[in-house]
Amino acid sequence: MALVELQNRGILKYLVSQNCDGLHRKSGMLPDCGKEYIRDFRAVATYEKTVRDHRTGRKCARCGGTLHDSIINFGESLPAQPLQRAHDHAKKADLCLVLGSSLTVTPANEVPESVGQKRGAKLAICNLQNTPIDHLSDLRIHSKTDELMLRVMEKLNLPIPPFILHRRLLIKTDTTGKERNQLRILGVDVDGTPVTFLKSVTLDYNRRVARSEPFVIDFRGTLQPGTILKLELEFMGHYCEPNLELSHPISPESDEGTLYLLGYSPYTGEWKITKQDSTNAREEPRDNAEKAEDSVLLSTAPDGLPDNIRRTRAANILPPITA
């Protein structure tokens, strides 16, 4: 979450992530391009034919194309375009901060290595174990990444935002016949494409429970404007999120859909619901530091270093941490 705050303030210019569990997206880091689906369930391929077959069996809601998992097995190459972008940004970087990587896997480890070899650039490595390119680093920190980032953000006098699990829920009411109505509940991404995070949906005073996508509840009777439909949402539960009771009023106008922004705090165990006025589920991405040309300038003061931090390649004394 410290990296999210640094990104929001324009300090962090580019993130190279090796994780395949979507943590960078879940934290709020902005995607660069392409459509990605973050699943709350097992979505990797079965690999029944070969480990090179990454098809998950699902289709893209935007283009209908076959979805592939993001796992990179041993012996497989990294995606060429993201790897090239990482190298391009490494060429422009004033500082490369390595957090929790052994730097033993090629070609990913060549990205920070190129910064360490570049004149005028700084390389800082935070990892508990030694790495093969420690000798190139200007600052070598033997600690956990959380402990380091707490001190960095304190030095920069910047707050670390708490992690909030954000969900976007779209509810639509359709008339399918005389006095027959259909309630559709679905999760959506910022571009309006479906996202799966619900396990079941229950309508109050209705014995039927919708347990599969799309979550559709059929019921009879005329829905008068202002009628309140009480729903109980059951989530996948990977964040120990409790069920959420949501009251959805029927709009007097044609119901093209109502978007609810849900926020869950794992720290308090509470949900926050915000009803968006617009019925359009699409939301433009936030502006971020992509417009900036220069890379982040981070370094550390020469005094007051704890025992687990040592300075390497000691030709230069680094200035205090600065934004």
Side-chain angles (χ1 to χ4, degrees):
M1 296 308 297
L3 298 179
V4 174
E5 182 66 17
L6 292 176
Q7 173 190 254
N8 292 341
R9 292 177 178 266
I11 299 175
L12 175 64
K13 299 300 187 294
Y14 198 75
L15 173 72
V16 180
S17 175
Q18 291 178 263
N19 80 77
C20 57
D21 50 17
L23 289 179
H24 53 299
R25 284 293 312 277
K26 294 175 182 178
S27 68
M29 298 296 296
L30 295 174
D32 43 15
C33 65
K35 178 59 188 171
E36 296 177 337
Y37 293 85
I38 306 299
R39 302 299 192 189
D40 269 13
F41 54 87
R42 179 177 173 83
V44 298
T46 59
Y47 303 121
E48 293 178 355
K49 296 182 179 180
T50 170
V51 293
R52 302 292 188 266
D53 185 4
H54 290 270
R55 293 174 294 179
T56 65
R58 301 172 74 92
K59 300 292 184 181
C60 177
R62 177 189 288 176
C63 66
T66 301
L67 293 180
H68 296 73
D69 65 36
S70 59
I71 304 297
I72 299 176
N73 297 314
F74 286 105
E76 294 182 328
S77 300
L78 292 175
Q81 189 176 21
L83 181 61
Q84 185 59 52
R85 285 201 302 269
H87 279 290
D88 292 342
H89 280 271
K91 293 178 181 178
K92 298 187 294 183
D94 301 306
L95 171 109
C96 177
L97 177 59
V98 177
L99 297 175
S101 175
S102 64
L103 298 175
T104 57
V105 180
T106 57
N109 62 353
E110 297 172 358
V111 176
E113 183 179 26
S114 66
V115 178
Q117 295 172 338
K118 187 174 60 173
R119 178 175 297 182
K122 305 295 182 182
L123 173 63
I125 301 176
C126 175
N127 196 55
L128 290 174
Q129 294 81 27
N130 294 331
T131 78
I133 63 172
D134 282 353
H135 63 285
L136 295 177
S137 64
D138 296 271
L139 192 64
R140 182 62 175 90
I141 306 128
H142 293 271
S143 76
K144 296 181 179 179
T145 58
D146 284 353
E147 295 173 357
L148 171 67
M149 293 310 298
L150 283 172
R151 298 193 63 174
V152 168
M153 299 300 282
E154 181 181 2
K155 192 71 175 180
L156 291 173
N157 196 27
L158 295 177
I160 299 179
F163 171 71
I164 299 296
L165 179 65
H166 294 285
R167 301 302 196 191
R168 300 164 60 87
L169 187 76
L170 184 64
I171 300 180
K172 301 180 67 176
T173 305
D174 300 320
T175 301
T176 58
K178 186 176 181 181
E179 296 188 351
R180 290 182 178 271
N181 297 276
Q182 191 177 78
L183 194 66
R184 300 175 63 88
I185 305 99
L186 67 153
V188 293
D189 207 342
V190 293
D191 59 0
T193 53
V195 171
T196 301
F197 55 78
L198 291 173
K199 183 182 294 184
S200 70
V201 178
T202 304
L203 177 64
D204 200 11
Y205 303 112
N206 191 310
R207 292 178 296 177
R208 296 187 60 185
V209 180
R211 299 187 181 276
S212 60
E213 295 181 299
F215 295 99
V216 177
I217 299 177
D218 295 299
F219 53 96
R220 297 181 179 180
T222 302
L223 289 177
Q224 299 294 334
T227 300
I228 303 295
L229 300 179
K230 295 184 178 181
L231 301 170
E232 182 177 355
L233 310 177
E234 181 186 11
F235 300 85
M236 292 293 182
H238 295 303
Y239 300 87
C240 299
E241 61 266 42
N243 290 4
L244 174 64
E245 294 183 355
L246 186 147
S247 297
H248 172 65
I250 298 300
S251 173
E253 302 174 356
S254 176
D255 191 2
E256 297 179 358
T258 301
L259 182 65
Y260 292 92
L261 307 181
L262 313 179
Y264 173 69
S265 171
Y267 308 102
T268 64
E270 297 177 345
W271 283 99
K272 180 181 179 180
I273 305 174
T274 303
K275 182 179 178 182
Q276 197 171 75
D277 294 335
S278 173
T279 58
N280 189 357
R282 183 179 178 86
E283 181 179 278
E284 292 300 323
R286 297 168 292 167
D287 290 334
N288 71 343
E290 284 294 323
K291 297 179 181 178
E293 293 296 332
D294 297 328
S295 298
V296 57
L297 290 169
L298 285 179
S299 52
T300 187
D303 55 346
L305 292 179
D307 294 337
N308 62 338
I309 299 180
R310 63 181 174 85
R311 192 177 307 282
T312 61
R313 217 170 55 181
N316 298 323
I317 296 179
L318 302 181
I321 287 179
T322 175

